[in-house]
Amino acid sequence: IDEKYRNVVVVVTDGYIYHQQSVQKSGHRYSYLTEPLIVKEGLNKGDFRTKIETLDFGLIATRNDLSNVEVLFLELAPLNNLDDFDIMKIVLTKWCNEMGINKVGIYKTDLPINTAKAIDLFFKR
């Protein structure tokens, strides 16, 4: 990664992460994040923040040298559970921080004008 440039990764996703050929698990760390996994781990009931911390639930971080990378996640669209967005936000932020990424923006699906404002805000910070 070239230190002379601003390295920004923009991810447009519904927030759930899954690829059938890349399913790994280590303790309560996974290579994926799906609604059934959130239910299986009991994060959809009670204090999910404490459960995430206590279980060390999250995504598997495979590196920690991305301090010169910024990540912007857009259009997250939780399916059923209203808390899924907050769970996604905690898990994605934790994952990025563990990889050394210091600047992370995470935004729900919204009106295009609001998404544009979120993008502008992210790039101005």
Side-chain angles (χ1 to χ4, degrees), residues 14-82:
D14 65 357
Y16 299 102
I17 300 168
Y18 179 78
H19 188 279
Q20 66 185 6
Q21 294 178 341
S22 180
V23 176
Q24 299 172 11
K25 178 183 187 295
S26 177
H28 293 279
R29 293 296 186 111
Y30 298 85
S31 61
Y32 59 96
L33 180 62
T34 61
E35 184 183 31
L37 177 62
I38 289 170
V39 171
K40 177 183 162 224
E41 290 285 348
L43 301 177
N44 62 326
K45 296 180 179 123
D47 183 3
F48 60 84
R49 287 177 178 81
T50 300
K51 287 180 184 176
I52 289 171
E53 189 175 316
T54 303
L55 294 172
D56 189 30
F57 177 84
L59 295 168
I60 298 169
T62 57
R63 55 191 302 173
N64 63 2
D65 60 343
L66 300 176
S67 62
N68 194 34
V69 175
E70 302 171 22
V71 180
L72 175 59
F73 293 95
L74 295 171
E75 302 301 316
L76 276 73
L79 295 173
N80 297 314
N81 185 0
L82 297 177

